[in-house]
Amino acid sequence: MTLRYDRLDHFWFVLIHELVHVKEHLRRGTVEGVFDDLEADVADQIEKEADVQAAELLIPEKIWRGAVARYTRSRPQWQHWRTISAFSPAIIAGRIRYEAKNYVILNELVGQGRVRKYFPEASFGA
């Protein structure tokens, strides 16, 4: 895991995605290692499975399907849905941005700059 994108929405999605790999693939011994390429299209079945399960674990589709904010993509609807749900505001905003393929909307709500500070720089070598 890296902190390539220092945003709460990205951090939680990637963490859950990687834990799905551990549960579904590494623990079962079906693969020896999984290396995600963030620049490549998600074509691999293992990656698709981890993405779907991570999204489902963060906001179940049954609940997400009825969220008006998902369709209007507006801040007022996001705020309304946030007050009636138990989901992280950053996760909600990140999911809306991902589905819209618009990474400018709700930019102030995804927790930009709020992850890296919890992981001090590590030094390797002499």
Side-chain angles (χ1 to χ4, degrees), residues 4 37 71:
R4 181 178 185 187
D37 181 354
Y71 305 104

Side-chain angles (χ1 to χ4, degrees), residues 107-124:
N107 198 40
E108 70 280 9
L109 306 174
V110 292
Q112 182 69 41
R114 297 200 36 219
V115 177
R116 191 176 309 272
K117 65 184 176 184
Y118 293 106
F119 299 90
E121 294 296 323
S123 177
F124 299 96

Side-chain angles (χ1 to χ4, degrees), residues 18 22 36 43 47 56-57 62 77 85 97 101 104 107-108 111 118:
E18 298 307 331
V22 170
D36 296 336
E47 292 305 314
E56 179 68 17
L57 287 166
K62 182 178 179 180
Q77 282 299 325
S85 74
R97 288 162 43 115
K101 300 293 184 245
V104 178
N107 198 40
E108 70 280 9
Y118 293 106

